[in-house]
Amino acid sequence: MNLSKELLLKLIDITSNSAIACYPYIGKNEKILADKAATDVMRNSLNKLDIKGKVVIGEGELDEAPMLYIGEKLGNGNGPELDIAVDPVEGTNFVAKNLPGAMTVLAVANKGDLFSAPETYMEKIAFGKDLPNNIIDLDNTVEENLKNFAEASNKYLDELTVCILKRDRHANIINELKKLNVNIKFITDGDVTGALLVSDKKYKVDIFMGIGGGPEGVIAAAALKTMNCNFKGRFIFKTKDDIQRAKKMGINDFNKKYEINEIIKGKSIFCATGITNGDLMNGIVKKNGKYFTETIITHEKSFLELVKKDVSIT
Ligand code: VTB
């Protein structure tokens, strides 16, 4: 097993330090500088690890420095071959405006186990554990999915809450949800967090649905799988260029509905540190010459942990 506890602890350091690198940019309306600061720390730290890593989910598909691009090799080459998904700042708008929900995210799996996704949109549905996977289908109507979910979870429709990105493209879904009298939790960005809210009853979200970034979908799936939750996705390839890029990544069926086990094949680690306060964890606090960070880690079944760290300011 390549995904050792030692690696896990190193990843916590990496997302923590990448988040700290963003601290000076919180509320400064500097999306690009914040992203660059987190990305530089993430790249430099990953390159020091004893791994033979490759970015399969990144920012861009070519060498578009300063972004960690898909195909970029990471690590010192002396260790296990790993697939890495990076999202140095999930919620750049949140950092820029000092709004809740920004975080630094990494997901890691053994080579070949993490789906390499192009930067296109993805239709997504996530829901919690202990429910049959087949109650929800991306081709069902919203009503069918919600009614199936209500029946399987023994709840009334007006007791359900659906989380969805507030976007014009979701107008039809939102109308359906209103007609069904389902509660809606809107998010403005950050649909990795949105999807993860189905993982625990304390977040009071039953289903996450809608169209968001494909890479964010794969990253959310990495976390949801370790927590035994359900995730279904279908990439949306609109333009010829989208299709070309997908083909280059080995995708031939452009309408395929992906199950979580196809997106994440084996075991994975998901590691995210809060930059600003969010539903999943608190953001960075600077106090008495130290930064205090909170990181969420999911690793194998039943391992979900909130790790608090303090890092001296040097
Ligand atoms: C979501 C969200 C991201 O992009 O995936 C969203 O999780 C989708 O794109 O935080 P649009 O903004 O174009 O709708 C982000 O907001 C930014 O990557």
Side-chain angles (χ1 to χ4, degrees):
M1 177 57 189
N2 291 332
L3 307 180
S4 61
K5 178 98 194 210
E6 191 194 344
L7 174 62
L8 201 114
L9 296 174
K10 289 194 170 146
L11 294 180
I12 295 171
D13 282 344
I14 293 176
T15 56
S16 261
N17 290 330
S18 305
I20 289 169
C22 278
Y23 186 88
Y25 301 105
I26 297 175
K28 303 281 163 52
N29 223 6
E30 294 280 9
K31 270 174 30 163
I32 295 179
L33 290 180
D35 207 17
K36 182 177 178 343
T39 304
D40 286 350
V41 170
M42 194 173 270
R43 173 184 280 119
N44 291 337
S45 335
L46 284 166
N47 274 333
K48 287 187 191 131
L49 292 185
D50 292 333
I51 59 163
K52 219 183 266 174
K54 191 173 113 184
V55 177
V56 295
I57 298 283
E59 306 185 305
E61 282 142 47
L62 296 163
D63 184 0
E64 294 166 341
M67 301 311 170
L68 278 153
Y69 61 93
I70 299 173
E72 182 170 345
K73 301 274 187 319
L74 292 171
N76 63 14
N78 303 315
E81 294 194 84
L82 300 176
D83 284 351
I84 303 175
V86 297
D87 197 352
V89 183
E90 165 62 356
T92 45
N93 284 329
F94 296 153
V95 179
K97 296 176 188 150
N98 194 2
L99 291 171
M103 58 187 192
T104 292
V105 186
L106 266 181
V108 174
N110 291 312
K111 186 185 176 195
D113 282 357
L114 203 71
F115 195 85
S116 184
E119 281 206 277
T120 54
Y121 284 105
M122 186 196 235
E123 274 177 80
K124 317 174 191 181
I125 294 194
F127 56 105
K129 45 187 160 242
D130 305 327
L131 287 168
N133 172 284
N134 62 1
I135 56 170
I136 291 211
D137 193 293
L138 287 165
D139 284 326
N140 284 352
T141 61
V142 173
E143 183 173 355
E144 282 166 339
N145 278 334
L146 269 290
K147 285 191 169 162
N148 289 347
F149 186 94
E151 199 183 319
S153 56
N154 219 1
K155 283 186 174 183
Y156 294 107
L157 282 172
D158 63 1
E159 294 168 353
L160 298 182
T161 300
V162 170
C163 176
I164 189 163
L165 270 172
K166 198 163 190 342
R167 295 289 187 275
D168 292 345
R169 61 177 177 265
H170 293 149
N172 290 342
I173 301 181
I174 292 162
N175 279 339
E176 285 301 306
L177 295 173
K178 284 183 181 163
K179 267 196 237 155
L180 294 167
N181 221 1
V182 164
N183 305 293
I184 305 175
K185 178 183 168 80
F186 283 115
I187 51 172
T188 58
D189 277 299
D191 74 349
V192 172
T193 298
L196 297 197
L197 297 182
V198 306
S199 64
D200 195 310
K201 287 193 169 50
K202 71 181 176 198
Y203 302 125
K204 299 190 176 74
V205 169
D206 298 283
I207 304 177
F208 168 82
M209 60 169 67
I211 297 171
E216 285 88 347
V218 174
I219 287 176
L224 289 168
K225 187 170 176 199
T226 59
M227 296 188 277
N228 257 340
C229 295
N230 290 286
F231 181 92
K232 291 159 191 264
R234 176 163 49 197
F235 294 100
I236 301 173
F237 302 113
K238 267 197 184 146
T239 61
K240 269 192 190 154
D241 189 44
D242 288 343
I243 293 181
Q244 252 346 88
R245 287 184 302 154
K247 275 189 185 159
K248 252 177 47 195
M249 289 183 164
I251 299 173
N252 293 311
D253 180 351
F254 305 114
N255 295 308
K256 184 170 162 54
K257 293 183 277 182
Y258 289 90
E259 292 292 335
I260 197 162
N261 291 335
E262 296 172 295
I263 299 175
I264 315 294
K265 290 203 190 109
K267 292 172 178 166
S268 59
I269 300 173
F270 168 93
C271 183
T273 300
I275 300 172
T276 56
N277 287 353
D279 287 316
L280 301 172
M281 73 290 254
N282 286 318
I284 302 160
V285 172
K286 190 177 178 186
K287 205 177 151 196
N288 299 335
K290 282 182 175 177
Y291 292 107
F292 294 83
T293 61
E294 286 192 10
T295 301
I296 276 213
I297 272 278
T298 69
H299 177 227
E300 303 200 27
K301 306 269 179 243
S302 76
F303 186 12
L304 164 65
E305 214 177 291
L306 181 72
V307 183
K308 297 190 186 212
K309 264 182 80 71
D310 53 281
V311 179
S312 296
I313 298 169
T314 47

